[in-house]
Amino acid sequence: MGIWVGGALLVGWLTTIVVSINNEPPGGASNLNALEEHTITALHTQDADALQLLFTEDSVADEYAANYLNRLGKTAAKNARGTVKKSSGASFIVVDGPGTCTAWQVVETEKRWYLDGTPPVLNTLCSHSEKRR
């Protein structure tokens, strides 16, 4: 009888894992503008999980978004503004706010848009001469 109960529990546990994996929200965003919006929303709400899902899988560590939000602080995160910029043929999402500016290159993979955690070499992306929203 114990073997049957153990087997049933194992099957239930495996079913739960498979269903949760299949129901996991897709990473990234459907287009570049949506990626910018999701990035700013995740910052404003300080949602590290949502922010982490916007990055390409291998470009950042597992706790990158949580650490970034922690370093950024609540005030800067809530007041962050974003814009899409193009430089040297690449697109970037630039986030700036009180005392901070971060630029992430944007990549498209399998019809989804993601942030790439590799820092850009360009230092002109954080100029404040352009209108921000």
Side-chain angles (χ1 to χ4, degrees):
M1 182 74 156
I3 293 175
W4 289 102
V5 171
L9 289 174
L10 179 63
V11 168
W13 177 68
L14 289 173
T15 302
T16 301
I17 290 174
V18 169
V19 168
S20 67
I21 289 172
N22 285 332
N23 290 328
E24 187 173 302
S30 58
N31 60 57
L32 183 57
N33 290 332
L35 181 60
E36 177 196 5
E37 292 294 325
H38 293 331
T39 301
I40 297 305
T41 299
L43 291 174
H44 287 176
T45 60
Q46 298 178 0
D47 187 343
D49 293 333
L51 183 60
Q52 188 76 28
L53 283 173
L54 299 178
F55 286 92
T56 57
E57 190 173 316
D58 296 331
S59 71
V60 295
D62 291 340
E63 297 297 318
Y64 176 83
N67 291 334
Y68 179 79
L69 286 171
N70 188 41
R71 282 191 341 263
L72 192 60
K74 289 182 181 183
T75 301
K78 288 184 179 185
N79 293 306
R81 297 166 300 210
T83 188
V84 174
K85 288 189 177 183
K86 297 201 182 282
S87 182
S88 300
S91 295
F92 295 85
I93 291 184
V94 179
V95 173
D96 68 1
T100 187
C101 181
T102 305
W104 292 296
Q105 187 169 349
V106 176
V107 294
E108 183 181 11
T109 304
E110 297 178 6
K111 298 183 181 182
R112 299 289 297 172
W113 292 79
Y114 296 90
L115 300 172
D116 187 334
T118 307
V121 179
L122 309 168
N123 62 0
T124 60
L125 292 168
C126 288
S127 83
H128 295 285
S129 61
E130 296 182 25
K131 182 182 176 186
R132 308 260 196 256
R133 63 174 157 126

